[in-house]
């Protein structure tokens, strides 16, 4: 389960039991920080913290603020400026050089939408949630939320019709951009500063081939919260006992039918690893008709080249765009040996492709580790 799903499930569980809690959410960052906007920390009145906003450095300070918020019942924004070279920053023990803005609120309003958010993620539907951080608009309170779906449908209200319209427009814009940020939005009278957050469903990894070396790849993908689906034409290999971390299985009558029978879209990565040349060729023939942005092929480059040559010779069009999304051999060049290390190399390459990053050593990166967040409008 992904971190956000863990937090949402905990909110629902605690709310059902009537327990007090506070939710801390990073809404804005500047410079180099460990976590990005949308990272959450749930602080129950009793029990362990759920989530993570700094890798352990700020959790204690935020938990102290959260306890005050629980008692007073009023949201507040706290900022941590880690750019100063003074004893306070060194006291936090942080290895970052940025500023973090955290919205801490009683979690009752978050509980009202937790179920809808969790359902959207489980059903693999993107959704945006707009949360009021501060307001000069009458009737609009901090912590008010509205959910916005990609089709423009909404659930809830921020407390003002004009503000709801502005929030919906901002949410649709950022859903298309797959980005979260703080926006200042106009209301009928006054305005509101709001966190417009885009929640994307878990990434999907489809593994074509249920051999022994697919087991650590499934495990590695699932450890990142991905929905991993294993595909094979050998039904006896597609079992939960063999792949306990798999989200699902697809047994195809023929590898050439994978495009029709497996869940494949623009947020899916695929790795073909049957170790059988003819099977791999049929999988690849079918996969070339899909919009998946990453096609990993296990085996040497010469083998992948031969697969493509044979497909071209059989009349299959292989464009330059197709060649750009085919990664064979799959995985980053880290000298990996054995199925476990190879699995990590493949998963790391998928992350790099999804983030549009060239991989490599961070120490050689000329700019900041994270892309700069656009300024709040």
């Amino acid at each position: 389960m992904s971190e956000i799903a863990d937090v949402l499930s905990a909110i629902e569980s605690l709310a059902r039991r009537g327990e007090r809690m506070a939710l801390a959410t990073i809404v804005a960052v500047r410079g180099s920080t460990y976590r990005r906007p949308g990272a959450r920390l749930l602080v129950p009145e009793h029990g362990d913290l759920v989530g993570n906003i700094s890798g352990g450095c700020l959790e204690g300070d935020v938990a102290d603020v959260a306890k005050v918020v629980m008692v007073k019942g009023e949201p507040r924004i706290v900022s941590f400026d880690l750019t100063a070279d003074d004893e306070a920053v060194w006291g936090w023990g942080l290895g970052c050089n940025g500023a973090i803005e955290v919205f801490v609120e009683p979690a009752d309003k978050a509980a009202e939408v937790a179920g809808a958010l969790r359902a959207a993620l489980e059903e693999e539907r993107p959704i945006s949630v707009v949360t009021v951080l501060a307001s000069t608009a009458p009737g609009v309170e901090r912590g008010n939320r509205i959910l916005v779906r990609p089709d423009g449908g909404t659930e809830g209200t921020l407390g003002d019709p004009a503000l709801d319209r502005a929030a919906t427009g901002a949410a649709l814009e950022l859903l298309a951009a797959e980005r979260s940020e703080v926006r200042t939005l106009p209301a009928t009278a006054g305005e509101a500063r709001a966190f417009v957050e885009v929640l994307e469903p878990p990434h999907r990894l489809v593994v074509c081939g249920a051999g022994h070396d697919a087991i650590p790849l499934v495990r590695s993908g699932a450890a990142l919260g991905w929905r991993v689906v294993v595909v094979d034409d050998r039904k006896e290999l597609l079992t939960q006992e063999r792949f306990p971390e798999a989200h699902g299985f697809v047994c195809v009558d023929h590898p050439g039918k994978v495009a029709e029978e497996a869940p494949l879209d623009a947020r899916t990565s695929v790795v073909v690893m049957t170790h059988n040349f003819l099977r791999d060729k049929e999988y690849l023939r079918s996969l070339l008709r899909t919009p998946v942005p990453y096609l990993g092929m296990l085996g040497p480059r010469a083998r992948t080249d031969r697969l493509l040559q044979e497909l071209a010779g059989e009349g299959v069009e292989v464009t330059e765009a197709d060649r750009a999304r085919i990664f064979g051999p799959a995985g980053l060049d880290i000298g990996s040996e054995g199925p476990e290390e190879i699995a990590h190399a493949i998963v790391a390459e998928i992350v790099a492709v999804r983030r549009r990053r060239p991989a490599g050593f961070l120490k050689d990166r000329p700019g900041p580790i994270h892309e700069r967040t656009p300024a709040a409008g």
Side-chain angles (χ1 to χ4, degrees):
M1 185 180 292
S2 64
E3 182 179 87
I4 177 62
D6 287 338
V7 171
L8 294 174
S9 294
I11 289 174
E12 290 182 284
S13 177
L14 291 169
R16 284 194 298 268
R17 299 202 298 266
E19 298 187 24
R20 288 198 304 182
M21 54 187 156
L23 179 65
T25 305
I26 295 180
V27 296
V29 300
R30 175 170 53 83
S32 176
T33 58
Y34 184 77
R35 299 301 304 271
R36 310 303 288 169
R40 288 173 170 82
L41 177 71
L42 181 66
V43 182
E45 186 174 22
H46 306 289
D48 297 331
L49 308 180
V50 182
N52 178 298
I53 59 171
S54 73
C57 304
L58 297 177
E59 274 71 6
D61 295 87
V62 172
D64 290 339
V65 175
K67 291 173 184 176
V68 175
V69 166
M70 272 186 263
V71 173
K72 294 189 175 182
E74 298 178 356
R76 64 172 59 184
I77 290 179
V78 292
S79 299
F80 299 90
D81 190 345
L82 318 176
T83 59
D85 187 14
D86 58 26
E87 291 183 0
V89 172
W90 286 108
W92 278 319
L94 295 167
C96 305
N97 187 31
I100 299 174
E101 189 174 356
V102 183
F103 182 60
V104 187
E105 59 179 322
D108 53 342
K109 289 186 178 179
E112 295 173 2
V113 300
L117 291 176
R118 186 173 55 80
L121 295 177
E122 289 180 351
E123 295 167 10
E124 302 188 4
R125 294 182 286 109
I127 194 169
S128 177
V129 54
V130 184
T131 304
V132 175
L133 304 178
S135 170
T136 61
V140 177
E141 299 179 355
R142 286 186 296 177
N144 284 2
R145 284 179 169 82
I146 186 171
L147 304 185
V148 182
R149 295 182 289 274
D151 62 1
T154 63
E155 181 177 330
T157 178
L158 298 181
D160 178 88
L163 183 58
D164 286 347
R165 289 192 293 272
T168 300
L172 291 174
E173 175 190 338
L174 293 177
L175 275 165
E178 299 181 355
R179 189 177 74 245
S180 303
E181 65 184 46
V182 173
R183 290 281 183 94
T184 299
L185 305 172
T188 303
E191 61 186 19
R193 185 170 182 258
F195 179 43
V196 186
E197 181 183 10
V198 172
L199 297 176
E200 287 288 326
H203 186 65
R204 185 188 299 116
L205 172 62
V206 173
V207 180
C208 297
H212 178 74
D213 55 348
I215 296 174
L217 179 58
V218 172
R219 185 184 307 122
S220 296
L224 296 183
W226 296 352
R227 301 286 177 87
V228 186
V229 177
V230 186
V231 179
D232 208 297
D233 59 327
R234 298 164 292 182
K235 187 176 182 178
E236 66 276 8
L237 297 181
L238 301 176
T239 66
Q240 207 70 54
E241 292 75 22
R242 184 175 177 84
F243 297 100
E245 299 87 2
H247 179 71
F249 303 97
V250 175
C251 183
V252 293
D253 294 333
H254 185 274
K257 295 183 178 180
V258 66
E260 291 77 29
E261 300 182 21
L264 301 167
D265 56 25
R267 61 178 186 82
T268 302
S269 298
V270 180
V271 179
V272 178
M273 51 188 311
T274 73
H275 300 283
N276 180 288
F277 186 87
L278 295 179
R279 273 197 182 100
D280 284 2
K281 185 170 75 169
E282 294 308 310
Y283 274 123
L284 185 55
R285 185 197 305 273
S286 183
L287 291 166
L288 287 171
R289 306 197 306 269
T290 70
V292 297
Y294 177 95
L295 283 169
M297 305 295 298
L298 212 67
R301 179 181 291 106
R303 184 177 187 271
T304 300
D305 290 343
R306 184 183 165 198
L307 284 169
L308 293 172
Q309 288 171 2
E310 289 201 7
L311 288 172
E314 295 168 11
V316 176
E317 182 182 10
V318 183
T319 67
E320 288 303 313
D322 288 331
R323 291 182 180 275
R325 63 188 176 123
I326 295 173
F327 293 79
L332 296 182
D333 182 10
I334 58 174
S336 51
E337 295 283 351
E340 287 76 15
E341 291 186 359
I342 292 172
H344 287 308
I346 293 174
V347 166
E349 182 176 62
I350 293 172
V351 171
V353 171
R354 292 183 63 214
R355 300 285 189 266
R356 298 179 177 88
R357 297 288 281 266
F361 296 111
L362 283 174
K363 70 174 185 177
D364 295 330
R365 181 174 173 80
I369 294 175
H370 298 289
E371 300 295 342
R372 296 199 180 279
T373 304

